Amino acid sequence: MNQSNSRASRIRRKASSNTQFHNDTADPKNGLNRIADKPATGPAGGSTTGPGGGQRRIMLGRLRILSAGVFLLCLMVIARMAWVQLVWGPDLSSLAAEQRTRIYTDPARRGAITDRSGQQLAYTMQARSLTVSPNVLRRELPYVAKQQLASDENYVQGSEETRNQMIEAKVADIMTEYSEEIPKIIEKARTEKQAAKATKTVTGSTKGLKDAAKKSEVKPEDIVAKLKADSNYEVLVRNVDPDVAAGISEKYYGIAADLQDVRQYPNGAVASNVIGKISQDGQGQFGFESANDSLLSGINGRKSIEVSTDGQAIPGTVTDDVPATNGANVTLTLDLDLQTYVQQQLEQAKANSGAKSASAVVLDAKTAQVMAMATSDSIDPMGDIKKQLEQGKEFGNSTISAPFEPGSVAKIITAAGAIENGVTSPDEVHTVPGSIDMAGVNVKDAWDHGPAQYTTTGIFGKSSNVGTLMLAEKLGEDKFDQLLTGFGVGRATGIELPSESEGLLPQRAQWSGGTFANLPIGQGMSVTLLQMAGIYQAIANGGERIAPRIISEVRDGHGAVVAQPEPERTRVVSEETARTVVNMFRAVTQSDSSGLQQGTGSQAAVKGYQIAGKTGTAQQVDAATGAYSHSKYWITFAGIAPADDPRFVVALMLDNPQRGVHGEGGQSAAPLFHDIASWLLNRDNVPPSPPMEGQLVLQMQ
């Protein structure tokens, strides 16, 4: 009974306790407080208020902070990655590609220049330049020295100080070896090459060939100076044969053999006034090389390739592969053999006559192609340029850039106008006084004479200024002005060369009374030697002037012929007039023992051939007075050979000669014409002219 009661009592207390709990939690006033009074439980239902509960609460807080930090860090990393990929990605990718990419340039080969028969005038030869980085070499040579001393017992067993001294001595020996042995190797190779050339027949492409490398001696002291230079790049030697350079580069540590294109001018000074030269960076500087630089130079190729960190090319990564387009090969109208002969004759004539300079132009009479265009004192582009400039030599081409008053050689214009317009006939006799007044200007002949009976042919054969002006007056100023224009006076010819002068011709509206007293006798205007040759070419070509040209053919880098524009053609006078004038001007070269029927240029005659031409003597302007000088002259001659079947036109000019071209008395260029025309007619096996019937009548007794 007591036990039952006791059990029932416990059950009621338990129920009461449970009821009280639920009532407490439902009490809006006390529920929260009572809950707070209950013991705290941990994650597993354990209490945190008991022993160790505070530590667990701190750890839990830290864990939550750490979790939040990791979450934020991950979020930042993800955001950063997104930024790098989406924003920086393209730029970084491009930068990486640039770091891996190497761009290689494939240099275009400069085109060759040859004469009309294919003989080389200029071409490009592959060579090498021996180069070094002095600063790098001096840092690395001690390591090279250590390797060479590795088998030396004194070095191996020596103290550190001894080894350092041996390394320094070894480096000095290596430097000495570089400076002494490299020049010896190069000189030996050059000597052997020259000896091999000397055994060849001097014909074709080997004629006049020079070794560009021999122009400068390799000196040991120069090598030493460059090896000791405070520099990251020095050229030790230029123009080294590729095989020799490769051997030196392989034998001597730190020496590189860089590719170098060397422009060769195998004929030295011959035609250098026409060809010109290029600079060290490969650009045309003078002459044809300059005027046609873009045509000759071509277009460099290029390609991009990616490389690994050790510099090796990555297969399959070549992009932007553009092949080089080599420069065009150009064939000129020049005749190298003729050019060589003419240039030699000019040098001799200058020396013999004491002239300041001498020049010549030879044209094909039918095509106006320039066969020779020579000047004295031309520079050898393969020689010491500075030294030659000091000697008065030059790259200029005075035949197109230095106009001068032609003098009587231009009287052929007046003659052509008079015949073309029916003013006179070759055999008409004129009473020519010793002087003439034209618009207040008194003009005399070069020799004193009273009234003389000259034929029209004789007026020009004797070179009478007075007779020429008499015919010009009948022709009239307007027609004469038209003739000057037709013959190309005062206009550039358009030759494919730089620095061509137009010459000087007063505009018709600017003529004064004295102008017409000068122009018909070759004064008061200036022409280049090429323009003067063009006047005679028009007469020799049946009255049609063709603009002179020096390009015969152009082939592009692929070998295809590049069409060239046709030269301008101008009908100046009729064929009949031209033929008549050519026959009249044979009188200039006619000889007569009595002197009565002798022309002013008899020394130009060539045995077996009919020659037509005209002498000229023009006063130069005295710089001090501004008036015509009585001691300084331009001496000229222009002629056609042969006159019966014109093949060649030769025009010559001597600047202020003191004697004849052979050192004889007088100041005539006629003998020089004889020498050049004779050589040319003989070389080309031109058939002799039919004998002339009697003499031309120049003067009536």
Side-chain angles (χ1 to χ4, degrees), residues 398-404 484-485 487-495 497-507 525-532 535:
S398 60
T399 65
I400 63 172
S401 63
F404 56 91
L484 292 173
T485 301
F487 277 110
V489 179
R491 293 176 54 199
T493 67
I495 191 79
L497 294 170
S499 305
E500 184 184 13
S501 171
E502 294 181 347
L504 177 64
L505 176 65
Q507 295 294 319
M525 63 178 178
S526 63
V527 298
T528 65
L529 191 59
L530 181 61
Q531 288 173 327
M532 190 174 90
I535 294 170

Side-chain angles (χ1 to χ4, degrees), residues 423 436-439 468-477 516 520:
V423 168
I436 186 174
D437 287 322
M438 292 186 68
T468 302
L469 290 175
M470 290 170 59
L471 294 174
E473 277 190 312
K474 293 181 181 181
L475 179 62
E477 296 185 6
F516 199 50

